[in-house]
mmCIF file of all heavy atoms in Angstrom:
data_model
loop_
_atom_site.group_PDB
_atom_site.id
_atom_site.type_symbol
_atom_site.label_atom_id
_atom_site.label_comp_id
_atom_site.label_asym_id
_atom_site.label_seq_id
_atom_site.Cartn_x
_atom_site.Cartn_y
_atom_site.Cartn_z
ATOM 1 N N LYS B 54 25.893 -27.347 35.432
ATOM 2 C CA LYS B 54 25.504 -26.067 34.855
ATOM 3 C C LYS B 54 24.455 -26.318 33.777
ATOM 4 O O LYS B 54 24.676 -27.108 32.866
ATOM 5 C CB LYS B 54 26.738 -25.390 34.259
ATOM 6 C CG LYS B 54 26.498 -23.953 33.939
ATOM 7 C CD LYS B 54 27.814 -23.273 33.572
ATOM 8 C CE LYS B 54 27.527 -21.991 32.833
ATOM 9 N NZ LYS B 54 27.591 -22.085 31.389
ATOM 10 N N ILE B 55 23.300 -25.684 33.916
ATOM 11 C CA ILE B 55 22.273 -25.862 32.891
ATOM 12 C C ILE B 55 21.838 -24.500 32.360
ATOM 13 O O ILE B 55 22.050 -23.473 32.996
ATOM 14 C CB ILE B 55 21.047 -26.637 33.436
ATOM 15 C CG1 ILE B 55 20.498 -25.975 34.699
ATOM 16 C CG2 ILE B 55 21.385 -28.078 33.679
ATOM 17 C CD1 ILE B 55 19.218 -26.585 35.201
ATOM 18 N N THR B 56 21.237 -24.541 31.165
ATOM 19 C CA THR B 56 20.794 -23.294 30.538
ATOM 20 C C THR B 56 19.324 -23.410 30.159
ATOM 21 O O THR B 56 18.812 -24.504 29.904
ATOM 22 C CB THR B 56 21.603 -23.001 29.267
ATOM 23 O OG1 THR B 56 21.652 -24.193 28.496
ATOM 24 C CG2 THR B 56 22.990 -22.539 29.596
ATOM 25 N N LEU B 57 18.662 -22.250 30.132
ATOM 26 C CA LEU B 57 17.259 -22.220 29.718
ATOM 27 C C LEU B 57 17.107 -21.124 28.669
ATOM 28 O O LEU B 57 17.503 -19.985 28.886
ATOM 29 C CB LEU B 57 16.354 -21.924 30.920
ATOM 30 C CG LEU B 57 14.902 -21.524 30.630
ATOM 31 C CD1 LEU B 57 14.117 -22.670 30.017
ATOM 32 C CD2 LEU B 57 14.199 -21.053 31.892
ATOM 33 N N LEU B 58 16.532 -21.501 27.543
ATOM 34 C CA LEU B 58 16.233 -20.499 26.512
ATOM 35 C C LEU B 58 14.863 -19.905 26.812
ATOM 36 O O LEU B 58 13.860 -20.611 26.775
ATOM 37 C CB LEU B 58 16.230 -21.151 25.132
ATOM 38 C CG LEU B 58 15.808 -20.240 23.986
ATOM 39 C CD1 LEU B 58 16.830 -19.158 23.721
ATOM 40 C CD2 LEU B 58 15.556 -21.035 22.722
ATOM 41 N N ASN B 59 14.863 -18.619 27.144
ATOM 42 C CA ASN B 59 13.601 -17.969 27.508
ATOM 43 C C ASN B 59 13.008 -17.272 26.289
ATOM 44 O O ASN B 59 13.673 -16.491 25.638
ATOM 45 C CB ASN B 59 13.872 -16.938 28.613
ATOM 46 C CG ASN B 59 12.665 -16.068 28.872
ATOM 47 O OD1 ASN B 59 11.534 -16.521 28.747
ATOM 48 N ND2 ASN B 59 12.899 -14.826 29.212
ATOM 49 N N SER B 60 11.741 -17.562 26.003
ATOM 50 C CA SER B 60 11.117 -16.876 24.866
ATOM 51 C C SER B 60 10.003 -15.926 25.303
ATOM 52 O O SER B 60 9.240 -15.439 24.489
ATOM 53 C CB SER B 60 10.573 -17.898 23.864
ATOM 54 O OG SER B 60 9.597 -18.703 24.452
ATOM 55 N N LYS B 61 9.903 -15.704 26.622
ATOM 56 C CA LYS B 61 8.965 -14.671 27.092
ATOM 57 C C LYS B 61 9.815 -13.497 27.560
ATOM 58 O O LYS B 61 10.204 -13.415 28.718
ATOM 59 C CB LYS B 61 8.111 -15.210 28.260
ATOM 60 C CG LYS B 61 6.849 -15.932 27.823
ATOM 61 C CD LYS B 61 6.088 -16.481 29.020
ATOM 62 C CE LYS B 61 5.188 -15.448 29.637
ATOM 63 N NZ LYS B 61 4.052 -15.086 28.790
ATOM 64 N N SER B 62 10.122 -12.591 26.632
ATOM 65 C CA SER B 62 11.109 -11.556 26.953
ATOM 66 C C SER B 62 10.625 -10.660 28.101
ATOM 67 O O SER B 62 11.441 -10.056 28.792
ATOM 68 C CB SER B 62 11.411 -10.723 25.716
ATOM 69 O OG SER B 62 10.207 -10.225 25.171
ATOM 70 N N GLU B 63 9.310 -10.579 28.316
ATOM 71 C CA GLU B 63 8.822 -9.704 29.382
ATOM 72 C C GLU B 63 9.172 -10.216 30.778
ATOM 73 O O GLU B 63 9.095 -9.467 31.742
ATOM 74 C CB GLU B 63 7.313 -9.467 29.236
ATOM 75 C CG GLU B 63 6.406 -10.656 29.482
ATOM 76 C CD GLU B 63 6.120 -11.462 28.222
ATOM 77 O OE1 GLU B 63 6.933 -11.402 27.278
ATOM 78 O OE2 GLU B 63 5.106 -12.170 28.189
ATOM 79 N N ILE B 64 9.562 -11.488 30.901
ATOM 80 C CA ILE B 64 9.931 -11.968 32.237
ATOM 81 C C ILE B 64 11.413 -12.311 32.332
ATOM 82 O O ILE B 64 11.830 -13.045 33.232
ATOM 83 C CB ILE B 64 9.083 -13.196 32.663
ATOM 84 C CG1 ILE B 64 9.280 -14.363 31.699
ATOM 85 C CG2 ILE B 64 7.613 -12.831 32.792
ATOM 86 C CD1 ILE B 64 8.825 -15.685 32.290
ATOM 87 N N GLN B 65 12.224 -11.773 31.429
ATOM 88 C CA GLN B 65 13.660 -12.090 31.435
ATOM 89 C C GLN B 65 14.323 -11.773 32.784
ATOM 90 O O GLN B 65 15.007 -12.615 33.354
ATOM 91 C CB GLN B 65 14.351 -11.324 30.301
ATOM 92 C CG GLN B 65 15.853 -11.529 30.199
ATOM 93 C CD GLN B 65 16.230 -12.948 29.759
ATOM 94 O OE1 GLN B 65 15.442 -13.666 29.176
ATOM 95 N NE2 GLN B 65 17.465 -13.342 30.063
ATOM 96 N N THR B 66 14.084 -10.573 33.307
ATOM 97 C CA THR B 66 14.748 -10.218 34.564
ATOM 98 C C THR B 66 14.221 -11.078 35.721
ATOM 99 O O THR B 66 14.990 -11.497 36.581
ATOM 100 C CB THR B 66 14.542 -8.733 34.909
ATOM 101 O OG1 THR B 66 13.187 -8.408 34.670
ATOM 102 C CG2 THR B 66 15.436 -7.837 34.097
ATOM 103 N N GLN B 67 12.914 -11.348 35.701
ATOM 104 C CA GLN B 67 12.350 -12.189 36.749
ATOM 105 C C GLN B 67 12.960 -13.591 36.714
ATOM 106 O O GLN B 67 13.240 -14.186 37.749
ATOM 107 C CB GLN B 67 10.820 -12.310 36.592
ATOM 108 C CG GLN B 67 10.052 -11.055 36.962
ATOM 109 C CD GLN B 67 9.838 -10.146 35.765
ATOM 110 O OE1 GLN B 67 10.683 -10.076 34.875
ATOM 111 N NE2 GLN B 67 8.725 -9.443 35.746
ATOM 112 N N LEU B 68 13.171 -14.101 35.494
ATOM 113 C CA LEU B 68 13.758 -15.433 35.368
ATOM 114 C C LEU B 68 15.194 -15.439 35.863
ATOM 115 O O LEU B 68 15.636 -16.400 36.496
ATOM 116 C CB LEU B 68 13.722 -15.883 33.910
ATOM 117 C CG LEU B 68 12.597 -16.840 33.525
ATOM 118 C CD1 LEU B 68 12.585 -17.057 32.028
ATOM 119 C CD2 LEU B 68 12.747 -18.177 34.230
ATOM 120 N N GLU B 69 15.932 -14.358 35.573
ATOM 121 C CA GLU B 69 17.312 -14.300 36.037
ATOM 122 C C GLU B 69 17.363 -14.288 37.567
ATOM 123 O O GLU B 69 18.214 -14.934 38.175
ATOM 124 C CB GLU B 69 18.006 -13.058 35.453
ATOM 125 C CG GLU B 69 18.448 -13.294 34.022
ATOM 126 C CD GLU B 69 18.761 -12.016 33.258
ATOM 127 O OE1 GLU B 69 18.833 -10.944 33.900
ATOM 128 O OE2 GLU B 69 18.917 -12.095 32.031
ATOM 129 N N GLU B 70 16.421 -13.558 38.178
ATOM 130 C CA GLU B 70 16.303 -13.561 39.637
ATOM 131 C C GLU B 70 15.994 -14.971 40.132
ATOM 132 O O GLU B 70 16.582 -15.462 41.094
ATOM 133 C CB GLU B 70 15.167 -12.609 40.074
ATOM 134 C CG GLU B 70 15.557 -11.152 40.054
ATOM 135 C CD GLU B 70 16.715 -10.870 40.997
ATOM 136 O OE1 GLU B 70 16.616 -11.304 42.172
ATOM 137 O OE2 GLU B 70 17.701 -10.256 40.567
ATOM 138 N N ALA B 71 15.027 -15.614 39.437
ATOM 139 C CA ALA B 71 14.617 -16.960 39.836
ATOM 140 C C ALA B 71 15.786 -17.925 39.768
ATOM 141 O O ALA B 71 15.932 -18.808 40.621
ATOM 142 C CB ALA B 71 13.480 -17.443 38.948
ATOM 143 N N ALA B 72 16.673 -17.733 38.755
ATOM 144 C CA ALA B 72 17.827 -18.607 38.621
ATOM 145 C C ALA B 72 18.731 -18.489 39.842
ATOM 146 O O ALA B 72 19.292 -19.478 40.328
ATOM 147 C CB ALA B 72 18.594 -18.259 37.348
ATOM 148 N N LYS B 73 18.838 -17.263 40.366
ATOM 149 C CA LYS B 73 19.668 -17.049 41.562
ATOM 150 C C LYS B 73 19.031 -17.713 42.778
ATOM 151 O O LYS B 73 19.704 -18.388 43.566
ATOM 152 C CB LYS B 73 19.835 -15.550 41.822
ATOM 153 C CG LYS B 73 20.915 -14.931 40.968
ATOM 154 C CD LYS B 73 21.066 -13.437 41.284
ATOM 155 C CE LYS B 73 21.591 -12.695 40.067
ATOM 156 N NZ LYS B 73 21.144 -11.310 40.035
#
Side-chain angles (χ1 to χ4, degrees):
Chain B
K54 193 171 162 263
I55 54 174
T56 47
L57 166 67
L58 175 69
N59 170 33
S60 61
K61 273 178 85 69
S62 54
E63 68 270 24
I64 60 162
Q65 179 68 21
T66 44
Q67 287 91 327
L68 260 173
E69 280 163 11
E70 282 299 310
K73 278 181 207 151

